[in-house]
Amino acid sequence: MTPQIKANLPKRTVSIIGTGSYVPEKVMTNADLEKMVETNDEWIASRTGIRERRIAAKDEATSDMAAKAALAAMEDAGIKGEEIDLIILATITPDHFMPSTACLVQTKIGAMRAACFDISAACSGFLYAIEIAQQFITSHTYNTILVIGVDKLSSIVNWKDRNTCVLFGDGAGAAILRHRAHGHGVIATRMGSNGNLADLLSVPGGGSACPITAENAHLELNYIKMEGRETFKHAVTNMVESAKQVLDDAGLKSSDLACVIPHQANLRIISAVAERLDVPLERVMVNLDRFGNTSAAAVAIALDEANRTGRMKVGDYVLLVVFGGGMTWASSVIQW
Ligand code: UT7
Protein backbone atom coordinates (compact mmCIF):
# COMPACT_ATOMS: atom_id res chain seq x y z
CA MET A 1 0.00 0.00 0.00
CA THR A 2 1.22 3.47 -0.88
CA PRO A 3 1.36 5.66 2.23
CA GLN A 4 -0.99 8.64 2.20
CA ILE A 5 0.77 11.66 3.67
CA LYS A 6 -2.28 13.91 3.41
CA ALA A 7 -2.91 16.29 6.32
CA ASN A 8 -4.27 19.74 6.98
CA LEU A 9 -0.94 21.38 6.31
CA PRO A 10 -0.02 24.52 4.38
CA LYS A 11 0.66 24.17 0.62
CA ARG A 12 4.22 23.20 -0.28
CA THR A 13 6.55 24.24 -3.08
CA VAL A 14 7.36 21.61 -5.68
CA SER A 15 10.84 21.28 -7.22
CA ILE A 16 12.12 19.30 -10.17
CA ILE A 17 15.02 17.50 -8.46
CA GLY A 18 16.20 15.45 -11.44
CA THR A 19 15.67 14.98 -15.17
CA GLY A 20 16.49 12.25 -17.67
CA SER A 21 15.87 11.30 -21.26
CA TYR A 22 16.39 8.54 -23.75
CA VAL A 23 16.29 8.40 -27.55
CA PRO A 24 16.69 5.22 -29.61
CA GLU A 25 19.95 4.51 -31.38
CA LYS A 26 18.64 4.42 -34.94
CA VAL A 27 18.86 7.78 -36.76
CA MET A 28 16.54 8.45 -39.71
CA THR A 29 17.70 11.42 -41.78
CA ASN A 30 15.76 13.53 -44.27
CA ALA A 31 17.80 11.79 -46.98
CA ASP A 32 16.45 8.43 -45.73
CA LEU A 33 12.90 9.78 -46.09
CA GLU A 34 13.61 10.87 -49.67
CA LYS A 35 13.85 7.16 -50.48
CA MET A 36 10.45 6.45 -48.90
CA VAL A 37 8.11 9.28 -50.03
CA GLU A 38 8.20 12.16 -52.53
CA THR A 39 10.01 14.73 -50.40
CA ASN A 40 13.43 16.32 -50.05
CA ASP A 41 15.76 17.60 -47.37
CA GLU A 42 15.30 21.22 -48.49
CA TRP A 43 11.49 21.07 -48.05
CA ILE A 44 11.62 19.34 -44.66
CA ALA A 45 14.42 21.53 -43.24
CA SER A 46 12.99 24.84 -44.46
CA ARG A 47 9.33 24.10 -43.53
CA THR A 48 9.98 22.41 -40.20
CA GLY A 49 13.63 22.78 -39.08
CA ILE A 50 13.89 18.98 -38.74
CA ARG A 51 17.01 17.24 -40.13
CA GLU A 52 16.83 13.83 -38.47
CA ARG A 53 14.81 11.86 -35.94
CA ARG A 54 15.30 8.69 -33.86
CA ILE A 55 13.33 5.52 -34.55
CA ALA A 56 12.82 2.80 -31.94
CA ALA A 57 13.75 -0.80 -32.71
CA LYS A 58 10.88 -3.18 -33.48
CA ASP A 59 11.27 -4.88 -30.10
CA GLU A 60 11.72 -1.58 -28.22
CA ALA A 61 8.39 -0.62 -26.66
CA THR A 62 7.25 2.70 -25.19
CA SER A 63 7.79 1.29 -21.67
CA ASP A 64 11.42 0.38 -22.52
CA MET A 65 12.22 3.95 -23.58
CA ALA A 66 10.29 5.36 -20.60
CA ALA A 67 12.18 3.17 -18.12
CA LYS A 68 15.55 4.31 -19.49
CA ALA A 69 14.58 7.98 -19.20
CA ALA A 70 13.19 7.35 -15.70
CA LEU A 71 16.40 5.65 -14.50
CA ALA A 72 18.44 8.59 -15.83
CA ALA A 73 16.18 11.03 -13.95
CA MET A 74 16.43 8.96 -10.76
CA GLU A 75 20.23 8.96 -11.03
CA ASP A 76 20.23 12.72 -11.59
CA ALA A 77 17.99 13.19 -8.53
CA GLY A 78 19.98 10.69 -6.47
CA ILE A 79 16.92 8.62 -5.54
CA LYS A 80 16.07 4.91 -5.57
CA GLY A 81 12.93 3.26 -6.95
CA GLU A 82 11.53 2.62 -3.46
CA GLU A 83 11.37 6.35 -2.80
CA ILE A 84 8.84 6.98 -5.61
CA ASP A 85 5.23 7.39 -4.40
CA LEU A 86 3.54 7.90 -7.78
CA ILE A 87 4.33 7.41 -11.48
CA ILE A 88 2.41 9.51 -14.00
CA LEU A 89 3.19 8.61 -17.61
CA ALA A 90 1.97 10.70 -20.54
CA THR A 91 1.70 8.96 -23.91
CA ILE A 92 -0.53 8.36 -26.90
CA THR A 93 1.39 5.21 -27.83
CA PRO A 94 1.03 2.93 -24.78
CA ASP A 95 2.48 -0.59 -24.98
CA HIS A 96 -1.11 -1.88 -24.63
CA PHE A 97 -4.59 -0.49 -23.87
CA MET A 98 -4.23 -2.44 -20.63
CA PRO A 99 -2.21 -2.53 -18.40
CA SER A 100 -1.07 1.08 -18.24
CA THR A 101 2.46 1.71 -19.47
CA ALA A 102 3.18 3.35 -16.08
CA CYS A 103 2.64 -0.06 -14.40
CA LEU A 104 5.10 -1.69 -16.81
CA VAL A 105 7.67 1.02 -16.08
CA GLN A 106 7.14 0.52 -12.33
CA THR A 107 8.40 -3.06 -12.63
CA LYS A 108 11.31 -2.12 -14.90
CA ILE A 109 12.64 0.52 -12.49
CA GLY A 110 11.81 -1.22 -9.19
CA ALA A 111 9.40 1.39 -7.84
CA MET A 112 7.08 -1.11 -6.20
CA ARG A 113 5.68 1.29 -3.57
CA ALA A 114 4.33 3.62 -6.25
CA ALA A 115 0.79 4.03 -7.55
CA CYS A 116 0.84 4.26 -11.35
CA PHE A 117 -1.33 5.61 -14.14
CA ASP A 118 -1.13 6.94 -17.71
CA ILE A 119 -2.59 10.16 -19.02
CA SER A 120 -3.49 11.08 -22.58
CA ALA A 121 -3.00 14.68 -23.67
CA ALA A 122 -0.88 14.11 -26.81
CA CYS A 123 2.04 16.55 -27.13
CA SER A 124 0.85 18.44 -24.04
CA GLY A 125 0.98 15.33 -21.85
CA PHE A 126 4.23 15.99 -20.02
CA LEU A 127 3.16 19.42 -18.76
CA TYR A 128 -0.30 18.11 -17.87
CA ALA A 129 1.45 15.37 -15.85
CA ILE A 130 3.75 17.90 -14.15
CA GLU A 131 0.68 19.90 -13.09
CA ILE A 132 -1.09 16.78 -11.75
CA ALA A 133 2.07 15.80 -9.85
CA GLN A 134 2.50 19.22 -8.36
CA GLN A 135 -1.11 19.20 -7.10
CA PHE A 136 -0.46 15.89 -5.29
CA ILE A 137 2.72 17.21 -3.68
CA THR A 138 1.31 20.62 -2.81
CA SER A 139 -1.60 18.93 -1.03
CA HIS A 140 0.76 16.64 0.96
CA THR A 141 -0.73 13.52 -0.66
CA TYR A 142 2.64 12.32 -2.00
CA ASN A 143 6.27 13.34 -1.55
CA THR A 144 8.14 12.01 -4.57
CA ILE A 145 6.64 11.68 -8.03
CA LEU A 146 8.10 10.40 -11.30
CA VAL A 147 6.64 12.11 -14.38
CA ILE A 148 7.36 10.67 -17.83
CA GLY A 149 6.58 11.95 -21.33
CA VAL A 150 7.14 9.23 -23.90
CA ASP A 151 6.02 8.28 -27.39
CA LYS A 152 6.84 5.73 -30.03
CA LEU A 153 5.21 7.70 -32.82
CA SER A 154 6.88 5.51 -35.45
CA SER A 155 4.28 2.88 -34.50
CA ILE A 156 1.36 5.13 -35.55
CA VAL A 157 2.95 7.05 -38.44
CA ASN A 158 1.79 6.27 -41.96
CA TRP A 159 5.14 5.88 -43.70
CA LYS A 160 3.44 6.51 -47.07
CA ASP A 161 2.03 9.93 -46.06
CA ARG A 162 4.59 12.67 -46.69
CA ASN A 163 2.37 15.23 -44.91
CA THR A 164 3.07 13.56 -41.58
CA CYS A 165 5.85 10.96 -41.74
CA VAL A 166 8.64 13.55 -42.05
CA LEU A 167 7.61 15.24 -38.79
CA PHE A 168 7.76 12.63 -36.05
CA GLY A 169 10.26 10.62 -34.01
CA ASP A 170 10.52 8.41 -30.92
CA GLY A 171 11.88 9.15 -27.46
CA ALA A 172 11.28 9.62 -23.74
CA GLY A 173 11.90 12.27 -21.10
CA ALA A 174 11.38 12.13 -17.35
CA ALA A 175 11.47 14.32 -14.27
CA ILE A 176 11.41 13.65 -10.52
CA LEU A 177 9.28 16.09 -8.54
CA ARG A 178 9.55 16.52 -4.79
CA HIS A 179 9.00 19.14 -2.14
CA ARG A 180 12.32 20.68 -1.17
CA ALA A 181 12.43 22.93 1.87
CA HIS A 182 13.45 26.43 0.76
CA GLY A 183 13.61 25.04 -2.79
CA HIS A 184 12.54 26.68 -5.99
CA GLY A 185 9.95 25.08 -8.19
CA VAL A 186 6.79 25.20 -10.25
CA ILE A 187 5.34 28.70 -9.80
CA ALA A 188 2.29 28.62 -12.04
CA THR A 189 0.70 26.42 -14.70
CA ARG A 190 -2.14 26.95 -17.17
CA MET A 191 -3.74 24.11 -19.10
CA GLY A 192 -6.33 24.38 -21.87
CA SER A 193 -8.23 22.20 -24.35
CA ASN A 194 -10.63 22.56 -27.27
CA GLY A 195 -12.40 19.34 -28.22
CA ASN A 196 -14.20 21.13 -31.07
CA LEU A 197 -10.88 20.92 -32.93
CA ALA A 198 -10.33 17.21 -32.21
CA ASP A 199 -10.38 16.21 -35.89
CA LEU A 200 -7.43 18.44 -36.86
CA LEU A 201 -4.95 15.99 -35.36
CA SER A 202 -6.08 12.46 -34.63
CA VAL A 203 -5.66 8.73 -34.98
CA PRO A 204 -9.17 7.93 -36.28
CA GLY A 205 -9.12 4.12 -35.91
CA GLY A 206 -8.03 1.49 -33.43
CA GLY A 207 -10.10 2.73 -30.48
CA SER A 208 -13.65 1.82 -29.39
CA ALA A 209 -15.27 4.23 -31.89
CA CYS A 210 -13.65 2.51 -34.82
CA PRO A 211 -11.88 -0.77 -34.10
CA ILE A 212 -9.59 -2.00 -36.86
CA THR A 213 -11.17 -4.99 -38.59
CA ALA A 214 -10.29 -7.13 -41.61
CA GLU A 215 -12.90 -5.10 -43.57
CA ASN A 216 -11.53 -1.60 -42.78
CA ALA A 217 -7.81 -2.39 -42.47
CA HIS A 218 -7.11 -1.07 -45.99
CA LEU A 219 -8.32 2.43 -44.95
CA GLU A 220 -5.27 2.74 -42.68
CA LEU A 221 -7.25 4.50 -39.94
CA ASN A 222 -4.80 3.51 -37.20
CA TYR A 223 -2.30 6.19 -38.28
CA ILE A 224 -1.82 9.88 -37.39
CA LYS A 225 -3.88 12.21 -39.55
CA MET A 226 -3.25 15.96 -39.40
CA GLU A 227 -4.44 19.15 -41.05
CA GLY A 228 -1.06 20.82 -40.78
CA ARG A 229 -1.85 24.41 -41.68
CA GLU A 230 -4.84 24.72 -39.31
CA THR A 231 -2.94 22.95 -36.51
CA PHE A 232 -0.06 25.37 -37.02
CA LYS A 233 -2.31 28.42 -36.53
CA HIS A 234 -3.96 27.08 -33.39
CA ALA A 235 -0.56 26.06 -32.00
CA VAL A 236 0.86 29.57 -32.27
CA THR A 237 -2.27 31.31 -30.94
CA ASN A 238 -2.77 29.05 -27.93
CA MET A 239 0.89 28.73 -26.98
CA VAL A 240 1.27 32.53 -26.96
CA GLU A 241 -2.00 33.08 -25.11
CA SER A 242 -1.30 30.50 -22.37
CA ALA A 243 2.31 31.65 -21.97
CA LYS A 244 1.14 35.22 -21.44
CA GLN A 245 -1.46 34.06 -18.91
CA VAL A 246 1.03 32.01 -16.92
CA LEU A 247 3.60 34.81 -16.90
CA ASP A 248 0.88 37.09 -15.60
CA ASP A 249 -0.06 34.51 -12.91
CA ALA A 250 3.60 34.35 -11.88
CA GLY A 251 3.95 38.14 -11.83
CA LEU A 252 6.76 37.98 -14.40
CA LYS A 253 7.58 39.56 -17.76
CA SER A 254 9.04 37.64 -20.69
CA SER A 255 12.28 39.58 -20.20
CA ASP A 256 12.60 37.83 -16.79
CA LEU A 257 12.90 34.44 -18.50
CA ALA A 258 16.36 32.88 -18.74
CA CYS A 259 15.10 30.04 -20.90
CA VAL A 260 11.98 29.05 -22.86
CA ILE A 261 11.44 25.34 -23.53
CA PRO A 262 8.69 24.92 -26.12
CA HIS A 263 7.10 21.87 -27.73
CA GLN A 264 9.34 20.76 -30.59
CA ALA A 265 6.93 20.47 -33.56
CA ASN A 266 8.14 23.06 -36.04
CA LEU A 267 10.87 25.72 -35.89
CA ARG A 268 8.49 28.17 -37.58
CA ILE A 269 5.98 27.69 -34.73
CA ILE A 270 8.74 28.13 -32.14
CA SER A 271 10.01 31.31 -33.86
CA ALA A 272 6.51 32.78 -34.14
CA VAL A 273 5.82 32.09 -30.44
CA ALA A 274 9.19 33.55 -29.37
CA GLU A 275 8.64 36.65 -31.48
CA ARG A 276 5.15 37.25 -30.08
CA LEU A 277 6.42 36.80 -26.53
CA ASP A 278 9.37 39.08 -27.33
CA VAL A 279 11.96 36.46 -26.35
CA PRO A 280 15.16 36.27 -28.45
CA LEU A 281 15.71 32.84 -30.06
CA GLU A 282 19.05 32.46 -28.21
CA ARG A 283 17.01 32.01 -25.03
CA VAL A 284 14.80 29.32 -26.60
CA MET A 285 15.67 25.62 -26.37
CA VAL A 286 15.53 23.96 -29.80
CA ASN A 287 16.47 20.34 -30.50
CA LEU A 288 13.89 19.34 -33.10
CA ASP A 289 16.60 19.41 -35.78
CA ARG A 290 17.94 16.18 -34.16
CA PHE A 291 14.79 14.54 -32.81
CA GLY A 292 11.75 15.82 -34.75
CA ASN A 293 8.43 15.94 -32.95
CA THR A 294 8.37 13.24 -30.25
CA SER A 295 4.94 14.28 -28.89
CA ALA A 296 4.73 13.92 -25.08
CA ALA A 297 8.50 13.35 -24.93
CA ALA A 298 9.53 16.49 -26.80
CA VAL A 299 9.45 19.10 -24.04
CA ALA A 300 10.72 16.53 -21.52
CA ILE A 301 13.77 15.67 -23.63
CA ALA A 302 14.42 19.38 -24.21
CA LEU A 303 14.13 20.08 -20.47
CA ASP A 304 16.68 17.35 -19.73
CA GLU A 305 19.04 18.68 -22.38
CA ALA A 306 18.70 22.22 -21.03
CA ASN A 307 19.41 20.90 -17.52
CA ARG A 308 22.44 18.82 -18.52
CA THR A 309 23.98 21.51 -20.72
CA GLY A 310 23.69 24.12 -17.97
CA ARG A 311 21.24 26.38 -19.75
CA MET A 312 19.42 27.00 -16.46
CA LYS A 313 21.09 28.22 -13.28
CA VAL A 314 19.58 27.88 -9.81
CA GLY A 315 17.02 30.66 -9.38
CA ASP A 316 16.46 31.20 -13.14
CA TYR A 317 12.91 31.55 -14.43
CA VAL A 318 12.05 29.00 -17.13
CA LEU A 319 8.91 28.85 -19.28
CA LEU A 320 7.69 25.52 -20.65
CA VAL A 321 4.97 25.77 -23.31
CA VAL A 322 3.30 22.96 -25.25
CA PHE A 323 0.55 22.26 -27.78
CA GLY A 324 -0.92 19.09 -29.25
CA GLY A 325 -3.84 16.94 -30.32
CA GLY A 326 -7.13 17.29 -28.52
CA MET A 327 -6.49 20.12 -29.09
CA THR A 328 -4.60 20.65 -25.84
CA TRP A 329 -2.06 23.17 -24.61
CA ALA A 330 -0.29 24.18 -21.41
CA SER A 331 2.33 26.54 -20.03
CA SER A 332 4.36 26.39 -16.82
CA VAL A 333 6.71 28.85 -15.19
CA ILE A 334 9.36 27.18 -13.08
CA GLN A 335 12.04 28.75 -10.93
CA TRP A 336 15.03 26.45 -11.40
O1 UT7 B 1 2.65 18.22 -32.33
C1 UT7 B 1 1.37 18.77 -32.48
C2 UT7 B 1 1.44 20.01 -33.16
N1 UT7 B 1 1.81 19.83 -34.52
C3 UT7 B 1 2.04 20.89 -35.22
O2 UT7 B 1 1.96 21.92 -34.63
C4 UT7 B 1 2.34 20.79 -36.69
C5 UT7 B 1 1.75 22.00 -37.35
N2 UT7 B 1 1.90 22.07 -38.76
C6 UT7 B 1 3.08 22.20 -39.40
O3 UT7 B 1 4.12 22.14 -38.80
C7 UT7 B 1 3.07 22.50 -40.88
O4 UT7 B 1 1.77 22.82 -41.28
C8 UT7 B 1 3.60 21.34 -41.75
C9 UT7 B 1 5.09 21.20 -41.58
C10 UT7 B 1 2.91 20.05 -41.39
C11 UT7 B 1 3.33 21.64 -43.23
O5 UT7 B 1 3.92 22.88 -43.59
P1 UT7 B 1 3.08 23.97 -44.39
O6 UT7 B 1 3.99 25.08 -44.69
O7 UT7 B 1 1.84 24.25 -43.59
O8 UT7 B 1 2.76 23.18 -45.73
P2 UT7 B 1 1.35 22.77 -46.33
O9 UT7 B 1 0.73 21.68 -45.54
O10 UT7 B 1 0.55 24.00 -46.54
O11 UT7 B 1 1.83 22.19 -47.72
C12 UT7 B 1 2.50 22.99 -48.69
C13 UT7 B 1 2.86 22.11 -49.88
C14 UT7 B 1 1.70 21.25 -50.36
O12 UT7 B 1 1.75 21.20 -51.79
P3 UT7 B 1 0.75 22.10 -52.65
O13 UT7 B 1 -0.62 21.72 -52.22
O14 UT7 B 1 1.11 23.52 -52.30
O15 UT7 B 1 1.12 21.68 -54.02
C15 UT7 B 1 2.01 19.89 -49.80
O16 UT7 B 1 1.49 18.85 -50.58
O17 UT7 B 1 3.90 21.21 -49.53
C16 UT7 B 1 3.52 19.88 -49.88
N3 UT7 B 1 4.11 18.95 -48.92
C17 UT7 B 1 5.34 18.43 -49.08
N4 UT7 B 1 6.29 18.57 -50.04
C18 UT7 B 1 7.44 17.90 -49.89
C19 UT7 B 1 3.57 18.49 -47.77
N5 UT7 B 1 4.46 17.66 -47.16
C20 UT7 B 1 5.55 17.60 -47.95
C21 UT7 B 1 6.77 16.92 -47.87
N6 UT7 B 1 7.69 17.12 -48.84
N7 UT7 B 1 7.08 16.13 -46.83
Side-chain angles (χ1 to χ4, degrees):
M1 276 283 284
T2 307
Q4 300 281 312
I5 307 152
K6 199 185 265 175
N8 288 328
L9 298 165
K11 284 188 168 186
R12 314 189 281 182
T13 54
V14 179
S15 297
I16 293 177
I17 63 162
T19 63
S21 61
Y22 169 79
V23 289
E25 223 172 277
K26 184 180 168 190
V27 176
M28 183 185 280
T29 64
N30 291 349
D32 294 329
L33 283 159
E34 286 176 10
K35 295 173 203 141
M36 297 160 67
V37 287
E38 200 183 323
T39 190
N40 55 75
D41 174 53
E42 201 284 324
W43 191 96
I44 303 171
S46 64
R47 299 283 184 128
T48 71
I50 300 166
R51 296 197 174 272
E52 57 186 47
R53 66 288 291 144
R54 300 299 181 96
I55 304 294
K58 275 213 165 60
D59 61 353
E60 190 171 35
T62 294
S63 64
D64 297 319
M65 296 192 290
K68 286 182 178 155
L71 289 169
M74 287 156 63
E75 192 183 344
D76 189 41
I79 67 156
K80 299 241 176 313
E82 313 86 75
E83 293 175 65
I84 298 171
D85 300 313
L86 179 67
I87 301 174
I88 310 173
L89 184 146
T91 193
I92 52 164
T93 49
D95 286 20
H96 312 282
F97 281 147
M98 185 176 68
S100 73
T101 304
C103 281
L104 302 178
V105 171
Q106 172 186 35
T107 299
K108 290 180 186 186
I109 64 170
M112 300 318 294
R113 267 194 340 101
C116 307
F117 62 89
D118 291 358
I119 66 155
S120 170
C123 305
S124 307
F126 184 72
L127 270 201
Y128 269 55
I130 292 268
E131 172 63 358
I132 297 167
Q134 93 109 20
Q135 295 293 340
F136 275 120
I137 295 172
T138 303
S139 64
H140 300 258
T141 306
Y142 294 119
N143 272 330
T144 306
I145 301 184
L146 166 62
V147 170
I148 305 169
V150 55
D151 268 304
K152 184 177 173 179
L153 291 181
S154 62
S155 66
I156 55 165
V157 159
N158 183 345
W159 292 104
K160 291 178 277 184
D161 176 15
R162 70 172 185 174
N163 291 297
T164 52
C165 77
V166 302
L167 305 172
F168 301 113
D170 300 333
I176 308 285
L177 276 73
R178 180 182 263 180
H179 166 65
R180 193 162 49 181
H182 316 298
H184 303 294
V186 183
I187 295 176
T189 301
R190 285 267 183 161
M191 305 190 298
S193 310
N194 184 353
N196 290 338
L197 303 174
D199 288 344
L200 290 185
L201 179 49
S202 67
V203 179
S208 63
C210 179
I212 301 300
T213 60
E215 288 71 40
N216 69 17
H218 67 286
L219 297 174
E220 302 186 325
L221 298 170
N222 53 325
Y223 294 130
I224 298 175
K225 213 172 83 311
M226 178 169 71
E227 289 183 35
R229 243 181 252 187
E230 277 305 302
T231 303
F232 189 113
K233 282 191 249 169
H234 290 290
V236 174
T237 311
N238 288 300
M239 287 168 85
V240 170
E241 181 71 13
S242 76
K244 284 184 174 170
Q245 283 172 343
V246 87
L247 282 170
D248 204 40
D249 294 345
L252 297 172
K253 300 185 293 297
S254 62
S255 55
D256 297 319
L257 297 169
C259 187
V260 175
I261 306 179
H263 177 48
Q264 307 285 314
N266 188 318
L267 186 57
R268 286 155 54 219
I269 294 177
I270 293 175
S271 304
V273 170
E275 192 184 318
R276 286 171 204 203
L277 292 177
D278 202 17
V279 175
L281 263 184
E282 308 82 74
R283 278 197 269 140
V284 181
M285 184 66 206
V286 177
N287 65 10
L288 56 69
D289 50 320
R290 286 171 285 135
F291 305 128
N293 179 351
T294 55
S295 187
V299 81
I301 295 172
L303 175 68
D304 183 47
E305 190 171 329
N307 181 24
R308 284 171 197 268
T309 55
R311 286 191 66 146
M312 304 170 298
K313 293 188 293 300
V314 173
D316 277 352
Y317 292 112
V318 181
L319 170 72
L320 286 85
V321 52
V322 293
F323 183 84
M327 313 248 77
T328 56
W329 56 89
S331 290
S332 266
V333 172
I334 293 172
Q335 190 172 22
W336 199 250

